[in-house]
Amino acid sequence: MKISSLKLQTLLVLLLTFQFLICQESNDTKVNKINLAESLVKSIQQTYKDGDYRNHKRLADSLLLFSREHKLYKYQILANVNQAVYYNNQNRQDKSIILYHQALLLNDSIPDDLKTRVVVLVNLANSYNKIKARDKAISYYKKVLKTLREIGENPKIECAALIGIANNYQAIHKHNKALPYYIKSNNLAKQIKNEHMLLSTYGNLAENAYHLKNYEDAQEYLDSAFSLPLAENSSKEKAWLLFRKGLISTKTEKPETAKKYFSDALALGLDKGIAEIEINSYKYLYKIDSTLGNVSSSRNYKEKYLLLKSKILERQKEATLLDGQKEIGKKEATIKTQQALLKRLKTQNYQTLIIATFVILLLVLGVFIFQKSKRKNNTIITIDKTQNELKDNLKIKYANSTLDDATRKEIKQRLVFFMEKEKAFLNPEVSPKMVTEELNISKHHLSEVLYFELNQNFNSYINALRIEQAKKLIVSPKYNNAKILAVAFDVGFKSKSSFNRVFKALTGLTPTAYKNKINGLI
């Protein structure tokens, strides 16, 4: 207890010293730090407007380091948001969603700052939109509009939220329902004379008109967009305008004309690192070249499309899993704990610190007693557990398993349902860790279930599912003219050689021989 008292005194001295140093910081110094942070924010905004997305990310990283060091929570939130914007443009929603949730939790430490909160909400909604979580996206866009009603008008953010709602309706083919939201967002952009918003809303209206088969209206919207001075800049908005120009040209112009627009959009997408532009441009380019008879070029575009599609799907699934599971919860809890501690250190007086430290000391003592008791109890529990396991006559390999037959069968059913519903085996990066996190079981239990219930290991189980899917695709009319490599990629293999090897091992035939045999039977 003497040692504990010494530790208590030391802790109190350190806490008081820390509090004293904070109080001694001059107002001038704080103002200078805020001015520096504001300067960084303006630079970040400008680089994004200029389409310089890589430097935009570097500046956001710098702002995060600076704001963390000086405990400027508002700017730490803005740094997280801008980092997430970069990852969102890269289709890395597995990263952006976590950053946005971190920003929301940091915002809890400054609850009166609703303006910052609404910025986070609209960007988080954009991330959910990208991973096609339609209900969540619409929900967060509506939270944005609700918060805006509390803080007063902000046409720019309101415009972004309206576009987001409309985009989600459009994605589920409710084009008529999306149209009034697009029109309202376009009117708001005109009111505030924001060219970035105007480019975006004209482009959205053009694509909406395309889906409604109003091609003349679509062309007029694009003409209005290209008439704006900002359309001359190499930016994300221009890339989308070029892509939409190509889209409409597939219905109104020759294939060669459409190809030129898609090629220009692709070049800009590659230059700016905009993955969504890349994948959509590759998709239409391979189809157009196929129509034009450019077999080699079409194959090249298709392979790039399939590779990028695979990566994006993987990231979308990972983002969905992270959002839906306890991993984000753990991160949120950690940040909340950190923020609560920082807040207490700033606001608690000397007496409160003594009481809190005394309570901590009691807790530590309680934990010590509990752990000592637990170790004693664990010895008894371990003996009982070993005896029960011996009585159950489990196989030697899994003698220490806590699973009984009924539990193994229940996990097997969940595993099979997950694979059938989510098609996780189509993900080239699927792993035991990914599956166990989804099923909320340990790797050891997954291995045991595969061993007892399916007589397979993880790799053989995944490969068997992939080959069954490949057999379906090979005989599908949609894949009549497809290369074996396309089938391999679509079912989750990373190379043609590994696909051929596994396919032959499981069917006795190569994929090509299997296809010829089936066609011969028909």
Side-chain angles (χ1 to χ4, degrees):
M1 292 302 295
K2 290 182 179 179
I3 296 175
S4 297
S5 299
L6 180 60
K7 287 183 177 179
L8 172 58
Q9 292 172 8
T10 304
L11 179 60
L12 284 173
V13 170
L14 288 173
L15 289 172
L16 289 171
T17 303
F18 175 71
Q19 192 174 38
F20 175 77
L21 290 173
I22 290 175
C23 293
Q24 291 301 308
E25 184 177 33
S26 68
N27 288 331
D28 289 342
T29 303
K30 289 182 180 178
V31 170
N32 288 337
K33 289 175 182 177
I34 291 172
N35 288 338
L36 283 170
E38 282 289 346
S39 177
L40 268 173
V41 170
K42 289 178 182 178
S43 297
I44 289 168
Q45 292 171 341
Q46 189 59 50
T47 52
Y48 187 80
K49 286 179 181 178
D50 294 341
D52 188 359
Y53 302 125
R54 290 181 177 87
N55 277 327
H56 167 260
K57 169 65 164 54
R58 294 189 186 102
L59 287 169
D61 292 342
S62 298
L63 178 62
L64 181 63
L65 291 172
F66 181 80
S67 58
R68 275 181 177 170
E69 181 181 353
H70 299 291
K71 300 177 179 59
L72 302 174
Y73 301 119
K74 174 182 176 180
Y75 297 99
Q76 190 174 335
I77 293 168
L78 293 176
N80 278 340
V81 167
N82 281 281
Q83 286 178 321
V85 166
Y86 171 80
Y87 286 119
N88 223 20
N89 285 335
Q90 298 292 314
N91 268 19
R92 294 301 307 273
Q93 284 75 39
D94 54 320
K95 289 182 175 290
S96 67
I97 286 176
I98 290 175
L99 286 167
Y100 287 133
H101 276 289
Q102 288 177 351
L104 278 178
L105 290 164
L106 282 168
N107 188 249
D108 289 342
S109 63
I110 42 175
D112 295 334
D113 190 358
L114 293 178
K115 289 184 179 179
T116 302
R117 186 173 188 81
V118 84
V119 171
V120 181
L121 287 171
V122 75
N123 282 286
L124 179 56
N126 290 340
S127 286
Y128 282 126
N129 181 39
K130 287 214 171 188
I131 64 170
K132 302 179 181 179
R134 305 300 177 195
D135 291 340
K136 278 195 173 182
I138 291 173
S139 172
Y140 275 98
Y141 285 127
K142 288 182 177 179
K143 285 181 182 179
V144 170
L145 296 176
K146 181 181 178 181
T147 309
L148 285 175
R149 287 193 289 271
E150 294 179 32
I151 63 177
E153 291 186 358
N154 189 322
K156 184 177 178 181
I157 294 180
E158 183 181 355
C159 184
L162 291 168
I163 291 171
I165 293 171
N167 284 344
N168 278 278
Y169 282 130
Q170 183 135 298
I172 55 178
H173 309 295
K174 294 184 177 180
H175 306 300
N176 285 313
K177 197 166 184 177
L179 182 57
Y181 288 97
Y182 282 138
I183 292 173
K184 187 172 181 179
S185 65
N186 183 254
N187 290 335
L188 278 172
K190 289 176 182 176
Q191 287 176 20
I192 61 177
K193 298 178 181 179
N194 186 304
E195 282 196 32
H196 283 278
M197 287 289 186
L198 277 172
L199 282 177
S200 179
T201 55
Y202 277 132
N204 287 322
L205 281 165
E207 188 168 341
N208 180 265
Y210 165 83
H211 288 298
L212 292 172
K213 299 182 180 180
N214 299 328
Y215 302 126
E216 289 185 8
D217 289 348
Q219 189 57 56
E220 285 182 16
Y221 287 130
L222 284 181
D223 289 342
S224 297
F226 278 109
S227 69
L228 296 170
L230 193 62
E232 297 300 316
N233 294 349
S234 297
S235 64
K236 177 182 177 181
E237 287 86 356
K238 183 176 181 180
W240 276 115
L241 288 177
L242 289 168
F243 173 79
R244 283 160 175 153
K245 189 80 172 174
L247 198 63
I248 293 163
S249 296
T250 61
K251 302 294 183 181
T252 61
E253 305 282 350
K254 294 180 180 179
E256 291 85 355
T257 304
K259 180 179 178 180
K260 180 183 182 304
Y261 289 120
F262 286 129
S263 297
D264 290 344
L266 175 62
L268 194 51
L270 289 168
D271 180 57
K272 301 298 180 183
I274 309 171
E276 200 169 356
I277 290 289
E278 293 175 41
I279 189 171
N280 282 288
S281 298
Y282 282 137
K283 178 181 177 180
Y284 281 93
L285 283 168
Y286 93 69
K287 289 181 178 180
I288 290 173
D289 270 347
S290 178
T291 301
L292 295 173
N294 300 331
V295 179
S296 177
S297 177
S298 175
R299 185 188 303 115
N300 182 44
Y301 283 132
K302 186 171 185 178
E303 287 177 359
K304 289 180 178 179
Y305 164 72
L306 291 173
L307 283 170
L308 192 54
K309 178 183 176 183
S310 176
K311 290 180 181 178
I312 289 174
L313 284 174
E314 174 193 343
R315 290 166 183 169
Q316 287 178 346
K317 288 178 181 178
E318 187 176 349
T320 303
L321 287 170
L322 283 172
D323 180 64
Q325 296 177 0
K326 59 187 177 183
E327 197 160 337
I328 280 182
K330 288 180 180 178
K331 291 177 183 292
E332 291 175 346
T334 301
I335 295 169
K336 280 185 175 180
T337 301
Q338 291 171 347
Q339 295 309 312
L341 177 60
L342 287 171
K343 194 172 181 180
R344 284 197 298 271
L345 286 172
K346 287 181 178 180
T347 58
Q348 288 175 333
N349 56 29
Y350 174 73
Q351 291 82 1
T352 306
L353 283 173
I354 293 175
I355 294 170
T357 307
F358 182 73
V359 170
I360 291 170
L361 182 62
L362 289 177
L363 287 173
V364 171
L365 182 61
V367 169
F368 172 78
I369 295 170
F370 174 78
Q371 290 292 343
K372 187 174 181 181
S373 174
K374 187 178 178 182
R375 281 195 296 270
K376 184 177 179 180
N377 290 335
N378 281 345
T379 304
I380 299 170
I381 292 169
T382 302
I383 294 171
D384 291 340
K385 184 178 176 182
T386 303
Q387 291 174 342
N388 289 334
E389 286 172 345
L390 289 172
K391 290 177 182 178
D392 288 339
N393 293 319
L394 292 175
K395 293 184 179 180
I396 295 174
K397 184 175 181 181
Y398 295 100
N400 296 318
S401 174
T402 57
L403 299 182
D404 54 25
D405 289 342
T407 305
R408 280 200 296 267
K409 285 180 168 48
E410 185 269 332
I411 292 174
K412 174 198 168 185
Q413 289 176 348
R414 287 198 287 134
L415 173 64
V416 171
F417 177 79
F418 170 62
M419 287 297 170
E420 288 177 352
K421 181 183 177 183
E422 300 296 336
K423 303 292 184 187
F425 57 91
L426 300 181
N427 183 347
E429 304 299 331
V430 67
S431 65
K433 180 182 178 183
M434 184 186 300
V435 175
T436 54
E437 288 177 349
E438 175 64 25
L439 300 181
N440 196 24
I441 61 174
S442 68
K443 289 183 181 179
H444 179 78
H445 286 166
L446 174 63
S447 175
E448 181 181 345
V449 169
L450 288 169
Y451 177 80
F452 279 103
E453 299 298 323
L454 298 169
N455 196 28
Q456 290 177 304
N457 61 30
F458 184 80
N459 287 336
S460 62
Y461 175 61
I462 293 298
N463 283 338
L465 292 173
R466 287 172 174 170
I467 296 306
E468 284 303 311
Q469 180 69 11
K471 287 159 70 176
K472 294 176 184 177
L473 297 185
I474 285 172
V475 299
S476 169
K478 291 183 180 180
Y479 284 77
N480 278 345
N481 300 318
K483 299 292 184 183
I484 293 299
L485 180 61
V487 176
F489 284 150
D490 280 0
V491 299
F493 285 93
K494 293 182 178 180
S495 70
K496 184 179 178 181
S497 60
S498 61
F499 174 58
N500 285 341
R501 184 180 66 255
V502 176
F503 194 100
K504 187 171 183 180
L506 294 179
T507 66
L509 298 169
T510 65
T512 302
Y514 179 83
K515 183 176 183 179
N516 292 337
K517 179 181 177 182
I518 296 298
N519 288 337
L521 292 174
I522 295 171

